[in-house]
Amino acid sequence: MTAAPLLDVRDLTVTYGTGAAAVRGVDLTLDAGQKLGIAGESGCGKSTLALALLRLLPAGAKLSGEILLDGEDVLAMKWGRLRAVRWAGASIVFQGAMHSLNAVHRIGDQIAEPMLIHSTAPPSGVRKRVAELLEHVGLPASRASSYPHELSGGQRQRVMIAMALACDPRLIVADEPTTALDVMIQAQILRLIEQLVAEQGVGLIMISHDLAVLADTCDRLAVMYAGRVVEQGPASEVYSAARHPYAKALSAAFPRIGDPASRHAPQGLPGDPPDPSALPSGCTFHPRCPVAVEACSVEDQELRGEADWKAACLHA
Ligand code: ADP
Ligand code: MG
């Protein structure tokens, strides 16, 4: 018998108050210690999915489906339980640490805050734990008394990671954690996240528009387009031999890790992903797809293939 996965997302759909379905029928599973990458251009629903996992979406957003974290449905949790699960069960590292850190509070106090709120360390032990966490993410413990503006972008992102680790979560969701950083720092932060995940056996969901970064860091990849997962499989296979034309275009667009030119639209792929409130008929990728045939504008495709490698394309 195999153990239940750490995270089991079933048929998750998220609709914003505007009526736009930004995530549509997504299924994902993640085991403890596993690293799943989620790729896709801007606007494909990656952040919506990340926020949904901890019910951090704005009021008015409607969720359906199931999000089982260690077998417990996040969508059915009462408020008190949900608050305990945030940080201690699962935590999120966002892009752009400057906006997530409070400019007028010292770094050490900000790292201490989740531990005090969730009582995961006694007040007397918090200062020591902050020092440990800072050293763990490669910063001197003396940085606890610094303010965010005294740190570089890469150092601030390390602080965000320390905060995410503070309550020993089982799952870390990192949404474009390195996108705002330059290439050298990007690589350092990615190595740090990888090392921490390996040491502590937590599950990682890493989100990026850059497939090369994900292929290098993660065990498995899911490629999202217009709110759906269109391909899912082992990272190296999806990166080197994608079956869905969209995943192919993405992998061709990111030949090198952290290629600065590749922040822009994938080469050879005209146009933008559709707005969720005006989705094309059939396969939503068909208007941009180089291999679309007439049937593609009529019929959408389910994910199919082998148990661990599936794509949603007529040609796959
Ligand atoms: P990604 O992270 O892949 O760039 P997002 O999840 O941020 O994608 O956005 C997916 C879609 O949902 C986009 O079309 C975006 O405009 C829309 N969206 C995101 N946030 C909101 C919101 N708060 N209200 C309404 N629509 C939103
Ligand atoms: Mg995003």
Side-chain angles (χ1 to χ4, degrees), residues 96-105 107 110-111 148 151 155-157 159-160 163:
M98 199 55 195
H99 304 293
S100 313
L101 291 171
N102 190 323
V104 300
H105 289 145
I107 295 300
Q110 298 191 56
I111 297 175
L151 305 184
Q155 289 175 326
R156 285 196 293 266
Q157 199 58 297
V159 170
M160 289 302 296
M163 286 175 75

Side-chain angles (χ1 to χ4, degrees), residues 46-47 175-176:
K46 307 182 301 297
S47 294
D175 188 357
E176 310 254 12

Side-chain angles (χ1 to χ4, degrees), residues 225 270 280-281 283-289 292:
Y225 189 75
S281 63
C283 168
T284 53
F285 185 58
H286 87 264
R288 303 173 73 192
C289 182

Side-chain angles (χ1 to χ4, degrees), residues 53-120:
L53 296 179
L54 284 178
R55 276 171 56 195
L56 292 167
L57 291 161
K62 287 198 182 62
L63 293 97
S64 68
E66 282 177 306
I67 300 170
L68 304 173
L69 187 63
D70 275 324
E72 193 179 352
D73 191 355
V74 174
L75 296 185
M77 283 176 192
K78 298 235 165 63
W79 176 239
R81 176 65 188 145
L82 182 62
R83 234 176 41 146
V85 164
R86 289 182 188 162
W87 298 106
S91 62
I92 296 199
V93 180
F94 291 105
Q95 174 179 358
M98 199 55 195
H99 304 293
S100 313
L101 291 171
N102 190 323
V104 300
H105 289 145
R106 295 179 194 274
I107 295 300
D109 295 340
Q110 298 191 56
I111 297 175
E113 193 179 309
M115 292 188 269
L116 293 170
I117 291 175
H118 298 294
S119 319
T120 55

Side-chain angles (χ1 to χ4, degrees), residues 16 18 22 41-49 58 275-276:
Y16 283 110
T18 52
E41 286 163 285
S42 181
C44 285
K46 307 182 301 297
S47 294
T48 302
L49 174 63
D275 190 281

Side-chain angles (χ1 to χ4, degrees), residues 173-195:
V173 181
D175 188 357
E176 310 254 12
T178 62
T179 300
L181 304 173
D182 70 53
V183 176
M184 292 297 290
I185 309 296
Q186 245 189 54
Q188 287 172 14
I189 297 286
L190 290 172
R191 291 293 88 81
L192 172 67
I193 294 175
E194 267 190 298
Q195 174 206 329

